[in-house]
Amino acid sequence: MASTSPTHPETQEPPPLVVELDGVLAHTDTLHEGLLGLLKHQPYLAPAVLAWSLKGRAFLRAEVARRVELDVARLPYDETLVTRLAEEKARGRKRVLATASDRAVADAVATHLGLFDTVHASDGTQELSGARREARLRETLGERYEDVRPSPPSRSLPYSLFKALRMHQWAKNILVFVPMLAAHKALNPPLLLQALLGFISFSLCASSVYVLNDLLDLDSDRKHPTKRRRPFASGDLSVRAGLWLAPVLLAGGAAVALLLPREFLALLGTYYAITLGYSFYLKQVAMLDVLVLAGLYTVRIFGGSLAVGVPTSSWLFTFSMFLFLSLALVKRLSEVRRLRLANEEAAPGRGYMAGDYEQLASLGVSSGYLSVLVLALYITSKEVTALYAYPERLWLLCPVMMYWVGRVWLLAHRGQVNEDPLVFALKDKVSYAVGLIAAGVLLVAT
C-alpha cells in the first residue's frame, strides 16, 4: 500500500483512504464476473454484448450490471484490507471507494460492507479509471489522499495453475489404457505410445472443461465450504486468465489428438460437447447428471480403443457404465450428506435435496453390484475363452469387486469419501491392495 502524499505530522488529520474495487478490495473483476453470469443464463445476448462494447466500457458495465445482480456478499474480498478499513472507520478517517465498476455494483458493495463515506464509480457514460479517476479524486479530495495498492496474491501462480487444471483428476484418464490392457497388448510399444497420446489429449481437454466449469460455478463454489478455495472462486486466478486458459488447453488437446486416428479426434469433440452441456445445464438435473458422468468415464475407455485401434467388447462397456454410475452416485451422496450436516435443504447449482440421501444410496449400491453381475456373466461367456487359458479362475474377481464396491459405499456413508471416488482410490492403500489382487487373478487366469 502506497501513499500519493508525503508523511505528515501526527497532529495533522490523516489523508482520506481511497480504495479501488476490482483487484484491490476484491480479488476479482466485477465486469468479467457479470459477463460470465450474463452469458451463462442468457447466452443469446452475446451479440448484444459486442454491440454494447462498441459504445464504450462504461456503457457495457452499465448494461451488464442492469441485467446481472452479483452476490456482493460472497465476493473474494481482501480480508486484511477490510479489517484495515474497519479500523480506520473507528478512528474517524475518511474512506472513499473510487472504482471503474458500475455505480450499481459499487453501491451494492459499499452498502454490504458499510465501510465507506463516499462512492465514486462509472456512470454508464464515462468509466472512472486512469487519469479520469485521478482527476475526480483531486477534485473532491485535493492533493492529499492515500490510494491503496493491490496486495500480492496469497498463493503462487504455479500452485494456482496446478489447482485450476486439477491435474490430480488426470488420473481418471488412465482409463484410455484399459482397452489395450484388456486385449493383452500392454507390452506393445507403438500401441503404448498411442495410448499415452490419448491420455495427454484427454487430460488437456478435461482441464479446459474444469477451468470453464469453475468460471461458470463461481457463485455456487463460493457458497461451498471447500470449493470456495478454488483458484477462480477465491480470486487467486483472475476470470480473464481463465477465459484465455480454457481455449488454449482445448487447442493443445486437439493438437495432440491430430497425431491419432481421426475417429479419436471426433470422439474428443463429442466428449467436449457433452461436458459443455454438463457445465451449462445438465449438472443441475438430478440423476441425468450422474448418468452423464458415468457416460463420460465410459467415453474415455472408448477413446482408448480408438487411439490404439483395438476393438473393445460390449461386456467392458456395460460393466463400466454400471460401475461408474455407482461411483458418480457416491460423489452425489457425499454432497447430500454435507447438506444434512449443515442443516441445509438443497445444494446450490445442483438438483438434489437433503432428503434424497437414502434413495441415492440405494441406487448407487445397486448399480455397483450390477457391475459385478455383468462381470460374472462375462466370465461365463464364450468371448472369455479366447483371452484366458483358465477362465474359471476369473471368478475370484467377483468377491474382490464386491468387497471394494461395498467398502467404498460404507466409507461414503461414514463421510470418508469427500472427493471423486477414483481420486480417492488413488490415495487409498486398500484400493491399491485390491488392484494388486485383481491383477494377480488376471495373471494366473491368462
Side-chain angles (χ1 to χ4, degrees), residues 336 339-340 344-346 352-360:
V336 170
L339 284 179
R340 285 194 166 187
E344 296 178 4
E345 183 62 25
Y352 296 95
M353 313 288 286
D356 296 332
Y357 186 89
E358 288 77 13
Q359 186 64 28
L360 288 174

Side-chain angles (χ1 to χ4, degrees), residues 6 99 141 222 280 293 404:
T99 175
L141 303 176
R222 286 171 182 163
F280 276 96
L293 286 178
W404 187 79

Side-chain angles (χ1 to χ4, degrees), residues 331-375:
K331 191 174 182 179
R332 291 295 174 262
L333 184 90
S334 299
E335 293 172 355
V336 170
R337 184 178 185 276
R338 279 194 293 268
L339 284 179
R340 285 194 166 187
L341 293 176
N343 292 318
E344 296 178 4
E345 183 62 25
R350 301 292 182 184
Y352 296 95
M353 313 288 286
D356 296 332
Y357 186 89
E358 288 77 13
Q359 186 64 28
L360 288 174
S362 175
L363 291 170
V365 173
S366 300
S367 181
Y369 281 104
L370 278 174
S371 70
V372 181
L373 175 61
V374 172
L375 175 62

Side-chain angles (χ1 to χ4, degrees), residues 39 42-51:
L39 296 177
Q42 303 177 66
Y44 54 85
L45 288 178
V49 169
L50 294 176

Side-chain angles (χ1 to χ4, degrees), residues 64-65 67-71 219:
V64 172
R67 292 168 173 80
V68 178
E69 183 177 355
L70 293 180
D71 187 355
D219 286 340

Side-chain angles (χ1 to χ4, degrees), residues 141-163:
L141 303 176
E143 296 294 329
R144 291 186 63 237
Y145 60 87
E146 181 183 349
D147 203 354
V148 177
R149 303 304 182 197
S151 300
S154 59
R155 295 174 179 171
S156 67
L157 180 60
Y159 177 82
S160 296
L161 285 173
F162 177 84
K163 295 291 288 184

Side-chain angles (χ1 to χ4, degrees), residues 89-103:
K89 178 180 180 179
R91 296 189 185 103
R93 185 179 183 181
K94 187 173 183 178
R95 303 153 321 280
V96 179
L97 180 63
T99 175
S101 297
D102 185 73
R103 163 65 66 175

